[in-house]
């Protein structure tokens, strides 16, 4: 996934769907459907420039700062005029409902941008080239995100199969395109969903959910009653309130009435779940007796207000939900309080994915080194007396598309020689942990010790991993206090009594991303049984590892 851009897009979606949409007068231009294939079932469109330059821009700035700011994200969201996310079904979706949908992004900028610079931000480890005559930056992994510039202001982002899917889009009718043809781009956020193509996929899932939770008995009927759903959020011209609207189109008046009744029933279920959830949370945080009656009453009032604001009404064949959201200071403060945890969670999820991708890339480089040299690199380059000079991280540079940097090293000198130490500041992106920013230092290290993936002064052969590559740890992320200059031949040796010591600590839930010798990455809890973790560290111990 594009590491920094998608973080910001997610932030924008959260902001908009969380009811912080900002208004500017709009001419209501029609949506550009040039890259919306006939198989697409949904588009979500946000207007970042309006959102981040509107009347409540200071609030946006506060949230952005709390999420890491422009420095963390890498650019100003105000540079983007419109971002469209397109979702479509895979050809075999009905037979394989768990298969992820097709997904692509179409980004339209306010003005011409530096295409190469943007492409490098989105696909930092890709290669520049062309796709169907257009400038592109392509990831070596077909199923990782690549990007292509359709013109000076329009950028397409998707994995390679889905990029081709977007490029093959042709004018023509489809349920979604018919719905979008009557829409415009005036709302700060909108979602257009064609239900008909989804029915074969969602109907079984809804039925299963209703069977598991009887209170959701009305759920399976929803996709049979609605043909399409449109949702949008916009600020009124006077700036006093924001309007949130949902419109479901049904085949006839009878279906609309039934859908209205079902939504009301499900809203009551949601209200009760909200109250129960808040009571459970308050009970966990307070006394064993639970929250006092006054708190329970407040919870009920809040839940009643939310449900009352979302009550549907029938207008002929349409079911509508309309609510005005006052944009006073109290509402803004509450929205910030509600949105910030989601923003932080989104940021952490994106960073955890970025961290995982780094580990996969380093693992692939190690395996490519082994393929070319018949063995993995040693943990270091050693001199004739056995003194370590430079890290394995330098040795694999040619396999990270960093051959020019590799050529600059004096391989017969230590990492901190007068010449080599000048290269520390040129640390490649693959060694930069997304939650750690100390120039020239990395948290990516390898386990060193008897029976581990790195041992002695020579690299091991893959056939030495008799426990199996998928069962042997080859890369770990050190705790920030144990960060090392990336060229220094220093890594990590496990403590026999506490093998997870000095690892991780940057993600919630005590989770540490671990890279295995087959290049897969697992998030492992620091609470893992010590014996199991030790077994994963050894390459030929013959231990039985619980599945």
């Amino acid at each position: 996934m594009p590491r920094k851009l998608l973080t910001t897009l997610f932030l924008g979606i959260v902001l908009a769907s969380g009811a912080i949409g900002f208004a500017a007068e709009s001419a209501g231009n029609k949506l550009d459907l040039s890259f919306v294939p006939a198989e697409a079932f949904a588009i979500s469109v946000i207007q970042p420039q309006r959102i981040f330059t509107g009347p409540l821009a200071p609030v946006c700035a506060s949230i952005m700062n709390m999420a890491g700011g422009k420095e963390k994200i890498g650019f100003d969201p105000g540079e983007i005029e419109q971002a469209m996310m397109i979702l479509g079904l895979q050809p075999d979706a009905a037979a394989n409902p768990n298969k992820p949908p097709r997904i692509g992004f179409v980004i339209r900028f306010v003005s011409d941008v530096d295409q190469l610079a943007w492409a490098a931000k989105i696909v930092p480890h890709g290669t520049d080239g062309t796709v169907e005559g257009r400038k592109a930056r392509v990831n070596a992994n077909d199923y990782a995100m690549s990007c292509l510039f359709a013109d000076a202001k329009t950028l397409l982002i998707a994995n390679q199969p889905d990029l081709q899917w977007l490029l093959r889009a042709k004018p023509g009718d489809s349920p979604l395109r018919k719905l979008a043809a009557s829409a415009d781009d005036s709302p700060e956020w909108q979602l257009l969903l064609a239900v008909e193509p989804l029915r074969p996929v969602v109907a079984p899932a809804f039925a299963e959910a209703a069977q598991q939770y009887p209170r959701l008995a009305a759920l399976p009927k929803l996709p049979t009653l609605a043909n399409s759903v449109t949702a949008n959020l916009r600020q009124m011209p006077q700036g006093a309130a924001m309007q949130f609207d949902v419109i479901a189109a049904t085949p006839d008046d009878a279906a609309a009435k039934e859908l209205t009744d079902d939504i009301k029933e499900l809203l009551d279920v949601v209200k009760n779940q909200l109250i129960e959830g808040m009571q459970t949370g308050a009970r966990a945080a307070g006394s064993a007796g639970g929250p006092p009656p006054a708190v329970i009453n407040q919870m009920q009032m809040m839940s009643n207000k939310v449900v009352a604001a979302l009550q549907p009404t029938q207008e002929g064949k349409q079911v509508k939900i309309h609510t005005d959201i006052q944009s006073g200071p109290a509402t803004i403060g509450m929205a910030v309080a509600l949105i910030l945890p989601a923003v932080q969670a989104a940021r952490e999820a994106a960073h955890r994915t970025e961290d995982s991708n780094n580990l996969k890339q380093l693992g692939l480089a190690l395996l490519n080194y082994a393929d070319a040299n018949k063995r993995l690199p040693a943990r270091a380059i050693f001199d004739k007396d056995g003194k370590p000079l430079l890290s394995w991280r330098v040795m694999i540079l040619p396999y990270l598309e960093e051959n020019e940097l590799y050529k600059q090293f004096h391989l017969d000198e230590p990492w901190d020689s007068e010449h080599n130490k000048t290269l520390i500041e040129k640390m490649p992106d693959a060694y930069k942990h997304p939650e750690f920013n100390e120039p020239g230092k990395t948290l990516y290290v390898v386990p060193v010790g008897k029976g581990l993936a790195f041992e002695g002064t020579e690299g091991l052969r893959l056939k030495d991993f008799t426990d199996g590559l998928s069962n042997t740890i080859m890369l770990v992320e050190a705790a920030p206090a144990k960060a090392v200059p990336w060229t220094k031949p220093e890594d990590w040796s496990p403590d026999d009594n506490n093998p997870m010591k000095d690892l991780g600590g940057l993600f919630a839930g005590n989770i540490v991303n671990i890279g295995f010798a087959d290049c897969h990455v697992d998030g492992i809890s620091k609470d893992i049984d010590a014996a199991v973790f030790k077994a994963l560290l050894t390459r030929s111990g013959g231990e039985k590892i619980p599945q």
Side-chain angles (χ1 to χ4, degrees), residues 64 74 81 145 152 226 254 269 306 355 361 366-367 377 427 436 481 530 538:
M64 283 286 294
E81 180 181 329
M145 289 293 182
V269 173
V306 171
D355 178 41
Q361 187 177 9
L366 286 164
L367 290 187
M427 183 172 77
F436 179 80
T538 59

Side-chain angles (χ1 to χ4, degrees), residues 249-514:
T250 67
D252 51 48
D253 292 6
K257 182 181 185 309
E258 188 175 358
L259 181 60
T260 302
D261 293 340
D262 288 344
I263 293 174
K264 288 179 178 179
E265 179 183 330
L266 289 170
L267 282 172
D268 282 336
V269 173
V270 170
K271 179 181 71 173
N272 293 331
Q273 287 293 105
L274 280 173
I275 294 172
E276 289 175 15
M278 287 187 285
Q279 287 177 341
T280 301
R283 192 175 294 117
S287 63
V295 175
I296 293 176
N297 290 338
Q298 187 66 26
M299 293 175 181
Q300 290 174 334
M301 286 175 58
M302 289 172 59
S303 300
N304 287 335
K305 282 185 177 181
V306 171
V307 171
L310 297 176
Q311 285 298 307
T313 58
Q314 179 189 352
E315 295 183 15
K317 295 191 291 185
Q318 292 186 336
V319 178
K320 296 185 177 182
I321 295 173
H322 170 87
T323 185
D324 290 334
I325 305 165
Q326 295 303 313
S327 54
T331 303
I332 295 167
M334 184 179 295
V336 171
L338 290 171
I339 290 169
L340 184 57
V343 171
Q344 291 170 332
R347 173 187 162 192
E348 172 156 328
H351 284 182
R352 191 174 287 182
T353 299
E354 182 178 346
D355 178 41
S356 177
N357 287 340
N358 285 348
L359 287 166
K360 288 178 182 177
Q361 187 177 9
L362 296 178
L364 184 61
L366 286 164
L367 290 187
N368 286 339
Y369 181 102
D371 185 56
N373 297 279
K374 309 306 179 189
R375 60 178 62 238
L376 290 166
R379 67 179 180 88
I381 297 173
F382 294 89
D383 67 12
K384 57 181 176 33
D385 297 321
K387 178 185 176 182
L389 301 175
L390 288 158
S391 170
W392 59 272
R393 290 176 285 268
V394 173
M395 298 169 71
I396 67 168
L397 285 174
Y399 305 92
L400 292 172
E401 299 181 5
E402 295 283 356
N403 199 47
E404 291 306 311
L405 178 57
Y406 178 73
K407 291 177 181 177
Q408 295 178 47
F409 280 91
H410 292 176
L411 301 180
D412 58 349
E413 296 177 5
W415 69 279
D416 56 354
S417 70
E418 285 302 312
H419 172 78
N420 284 341
K421 69 182 181 182
T422 64
L423 302 174
I424 295 175
E425 64 183 26
K426 297 184 178 183
M427 183 172 77
D429 286 345
Y431 294 128
K432 297 176 183 177
H433 193 287
E435 288 285 338
F436 179 80
N437 184 23
E438 192 168 336
K441 285 193 173 183
T442 186
L443 301 181
Y444 299 122
V445 292
V446 296
V448 176
K450 186 173 177 56
L452 307 187
F454 291 81
E455 178 182 356
T457 59
E458 284 193 3
L460 297 165
R461 299 163 300 177
L462 294 183
K463 68 180 183 180
D464 296 324
F465 290 69
T466 56
D467 285 348
L469 298 180
S470 63
N471 291 324
T472 306
I473 293 172
M474 188 159 68
L475 287 156
V476 295
E477 56 180 39
K482 297 296 180 180
V484 297
W486 72 280
T487 59
K488 185 178 181 180
E490 182 178 334
D491 286 280
W492 172 80
S493 295
D495 182 294
D496 195 53
N497 296 318
N498 181 10
M500 289 288 281
K501 183 181 178 183
D502 295 331
L503 295 183
L506 290 169
F507 293 124
N510 249 357
I511 298 298
V512 182
N513 276 344
I514 301 291

Side-chain angles (χ1 to χ4, degrees), residues 116-366:
L116 293 179
W118 264 91
K121 290 177 186 178
I122 297 162
V123 190
H125 304 298
T127 55
D128 293 329
T130 60
V131 174
E132 298 192 6
R134 297 179 171 105
K135 287 183 181 179
R137 189 167 174 89
V138 180
N139 204 305
N141 180 348
D142 282 355
Y143 290 92
M145 289 293 182
S146 296
C147 66
L148 173 149
F149 272 90
D151 55 50
K153 295 182 183 179
T154 307
L155 172 66
L156 277 57
I157 306 171
N159 63 39
Q160 290 191 51
D162 292 348
L163 199 58
Q164 295 289 344
W165 176 64
L166 296 179
L167 290 171
R168 288 196 304 268
K170 296 178 180 177
D173 286 340
S174 71
L176 179 63
R177 291 177 69 96
K178 287 179 181 177
L179 181 64
S182 60
D184 59 44
D185 68 352
S186 61
E188 278 66 53
W189 170 81
Q190 66 179 311
L191 170 70
L192 305 174
L193 173 68
V195 179
E196 295 171 81
L198 283 175
R199 283 178 184 146
V201 177
V202 301
F206 280 16
E208 184 179 341
Q211 189 172 14
Q212 192 170 359
Y213 303 101
R215 286 189 287 183
L216 300 178
L219 192 61
K221 291 190 285 179
L222 299 189
T224 67
L225 297 171
N227 290 333
S228 66
V229 177
T230 302
N232 62 64
L233 184 74
R234 72 180 86 211
Q235 186 176 355
M236 300 302 291
Q238 69 273 20
M242 289 162 281
Q243 285 189 346
F244 178 66
D245 292 284
V246 179
I247 301 172
T250 67
D252 51 48
D253 292 6
K257 182 181 185 309
E258 188 175 358
L259 181 60
T260 302
D261 293 340
D262 288 344
I263 293 174
K264 288 179 178 179
E265 179 183 330
L266 289 170
L267 282 172
D268 282 336
V269 173
V270 170
K271 179 181 71 173
N272 293 331
Q273 287 293 105
L274 280 173
I275 294 172
E276 289 175 15
M278 287 187 285
Q279 287 177 341
T280 301
R283 192 175 294 117
S287 63
V295 175
I296 293 176
N297 290 338
Q298 187 66 26
M299 293 175 181
Q300 290 174 334
M301 286 175 58
M302 289 172 59
S303 300
N304 287 335
K305 282 185 177 181
V306 171
V307 171
L310 297 176
Q311 285 298 307
T313 58
Q314 179 189 352
E315 295 183 15
K317 295 191 291 185
Q318 292 186 336
V319 178
K320 296 185 177 182
I321 295 173
H322 170 87
T323 185
D324 290 334
I325 305 165
Q326 295 303 313
S327 54
T331 303
I332 295 167
M334 184 179 295
V336 171
L338 290 171
I339 290 169
L340 184 57
V343 171
Q344 291 170 332
R347 173 187 162 192
E348 172 156 328
H351 284 182
R352 191 174 287 182
T353 299
E354 182 178 346
D355 178 41
S356 177
N357 287 340
N358 285 348
L359 287 166
K360 288 178 182 177
Q361 187 177 9
L362 296 178
L364 184 61
L366 286 164

